[in-house]
DNA sequence: TACTACATCTCGCAT
DNA sequence: ATGCGAGGTGTAGTA
């Protein structure tokens, strides 16, 4: 495809609020939160109707360059090839794409009012623990979940049989050192806010890393193995289906 | 585009290690680390030669669904429309795309051996501090940077004029509570490993949040304002260029 | 492979 | 707007 042809189509796509995708050989420079340069190669480029720009290499799931929605986009001719310049005032960054060869191009107005519905988040996990406190221990009496205001962002907290406060930090995956320091912060915060000497801390996660477990021991906290909800639900079913053959 | 036509093209694209992109109306289900459902709407779909799948809605910079490289991909006909099934054994997850309408389609073999060159990471920031210790204080004598082995993942550490150890944690952005607990972990680790009573901790970042600053004070650490390197470098130049008009 | 921390992280929610 | 923490986080570096 000729550069002039591409520029005309791309401008039309932008002005009619369409989304476009094209494959091209290009060179890219980014400046803003960092400085980046990507030498010439074949890329997949998407420009959406909200002026989001995504540049993908032929492998991998992460864009090699991008600009977020609300950026300005200019498309010009420079030395007989197309040149895309994008600025984002909010994020103070800019992207420049020098296009040496356009392999193909598609553009279309897209309609999509749907939002993804997701189950199995950490919130769902803390809800599960709140509703099934025996997952932690038979003595645990939950008081509240997802306290985002008074005591910080504590996932679940409650009492043990002695009436002592228990703070639970949930993680959907292997808990690392960060999870333990997070728990430690919350426990200390509650201690100081309520003037208590004894507040228990529990990490609820499927696994915990060795270093994290050592830190947990050092601070007198406990680990309880809990599997997050909704994990693999449909996957397992379809695997069962496959195994029927 | 007819469903049969799409299926044929897509299969050919997969078998010849091409990358493809198309716009379509579709419905998507994901199962694995969570359960997700996305009702029918217009989407942009990319399938790369490494079997990475990306599904984008018309707005926003993040894919609404995806499968990582190395997944299996099957494309079939179901009730007269195309159906894409993808499984990833490693991540134990699966994606199903039911395609009701294909708006367009491009496919191409792409060649790209280039890697992005990026400057301005946290590593670059710790290097800058190591090379310019006066950014921290006129008394700071750096000893090592990026110690990933003996004492943990410490960005920079060194001595003050009294010969006491100083640990520096760099952050490219506003330092929050996490940065302080991270620093605290490193300082305590060094204290215990070396049997020292006095080890200083410093957060080097452009800003620090109020909560983080309070925690820092509580633990006797210090904050030093340091701007990350390479930020806005070319951006500023081009803005200057713009302002010339 | 598991562990650890960075990321042009992005996103949502509360203050 | 900023602060704060989750994410189907992803990715790189290392033991």
């Amino acid at each position: 495809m000729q550069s002039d042809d591409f520029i005309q189509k791309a401008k039309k796509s932008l002005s009619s609020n369409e989304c476009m995708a094209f494959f091209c050989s290009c060179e890219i420079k980014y400046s803003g939160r960092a400085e980046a340069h990507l030498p010439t190669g074949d890329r997949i480029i998407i420009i959406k109707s909200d002026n989001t720009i995504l540049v993908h290499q032929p492998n991998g799931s992460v864009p090699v360059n991008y600009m977020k929605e609300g950026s300005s986009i200019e498309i010009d001719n420079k030395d007989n090839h197309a040149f895309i310049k994008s600025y984002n005032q909010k994020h103070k960054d800019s992207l420049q794409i020098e296009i040496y060869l356009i392999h193909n191009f598609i553009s279309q107005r897209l309609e999509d009012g749907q939002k993804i519905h997701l189950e199995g988040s950490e919130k769902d996990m803390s809800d599960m623990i709140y509703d099934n406190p025996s997952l932690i221990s038979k003595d645990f009496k939950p008081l509240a979940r997802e306290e985002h205001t008074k005591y910080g962002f504590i996932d679940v907290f409650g009492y043990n049989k002695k009436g002592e406060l228990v703070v639970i930090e949930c993680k959907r995956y292997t808990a690392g050192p960060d999870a333990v320091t997070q728990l430690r912060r919350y426990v200390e915060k509650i201690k100081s806010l309520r003037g208590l000497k004894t507040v228990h801390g529990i990490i609820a996660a499927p696994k915990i890393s060795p270093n994290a477990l050592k830190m947990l021991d050092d601070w007198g906290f406990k680990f309880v193995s809990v599997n997050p909800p909704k994990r693999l639900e449909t996957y397992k079913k379809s695997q069962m289906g496959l195994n029927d053959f």
Side-chain angles (χ1 to χ4, degrees), chain A residues 23-38:
Chain A
F23 297 175
C24 66
S25 170
C26 63
E27 181 182 356
I28 300 177
K29 286 176 183 168
Y30 168 80
S31 176
R33 287 167 280 184
E35 298 284 314
H37 176 228
L38 181 63

Side-chain angles (χ1 to χ4, degrees), chain A residues 68-177:
Chain A
K68 294 175 74 173
E69 65 175 56
S71 304
S72 73
I73 298 180
E74 288 172 59
I75 304 175
D76 295 312
N77 197 308
K78 181 195 176 189
D79 304 335
N80 225 25
H81 52 258
F83 198 78
I84 300 177
K85 281 183 284 189
S86 176
Y87 290 88
N88 190 306
Q89 198 133 33
K90 184 181 174 187
H91 297 289
K92 301 273 181 236
D93 55 0
S94 71
L95 187 72
Q96 300 198 342
I97 308 176
E98 199 154 358
I99 299 176
Y100 300 111
L101 204 58
I102 296 280
H103 299 307
N104 47 39
F105 180 93
I106 53 180
S107 177
Q108 178 98 15
R109 183 166 180 82
L110 299 180
E111 304 283 350
D112 183 4
Q114 300 298 338
K115 282 193 175 170
I116 194 160
H117 182 71
L118 207 144
E119 289 179 290
S121 64
E122 192 180 285
K123 171 99 168 47
D124 293 325
M125 188 171 172
S126 64
D127 287 349
M128 180 181 71
I129 289 172
Y130 183 84
D131 295 331
N132 306 283
S134 65
L135 287 168
I136 300 300
S137 94
K138 58 184 194 307
D139 301 324
F140 178 62
K141 300 265 182 272
L143 255 181
R145 54 190 147 181
E146 287 279 322
E147 276 294 329
H148 279 250
T149 44
K150 295 172 206 154
Y151 308 108
F153 295 69
I154 291 161
D155 292 331
V156 185
F157 81 123
Y159 291 112
N160 67 10
K161 64 179 170 188
K162 292 185 196 164
E164 294 162 338
L165 266 180
V166 178
V167 175
I168 299 175
E169 174 62 31
C170 301
K171 289 293 164 198
R172 299 175 59 219
Y173 311 110
T174 305

Side-chain angles (χ1 to χ4, degrees), chain A residues 159-199:
Chain A
Y159 291 112
N160 67 10
K161 64 179 170 188
K162 292 185 196 164
E164 294 162 338
L165 266 180
V166 178
V167 175
I168 299 175
E169 174 62 31
C170 301
K171 289 293 164 198
R172 299 175 59 219
Y173 311 110
T174 305
D178 279 1
V180 181
T181 53
Q182 210 177 330
L183 177 64
R184 178 176 167 186
R185 260 196 291 139
Y186 297 155
V187 167
E188 288 180 1
K189 192 163 186 180
I190 291 214
K191 275 186 186 172
S192 89
L193 277 173
R194 297 211 169 180
L196 294 170
K197 239 165 129 181
T198 307
V199 175

Side-chain angles (χ1 to χ4, degrees), chain A residues 6-18:
Chain A
F6 164 74
I7 291 173
Q8 193 190 333
K9 283 180 176 169
K11 285 191 175 192
K12 183 166 179 298
S13 176
L14 278 177
S15 61
S16 15
N17 285 311
E18 296 182 358

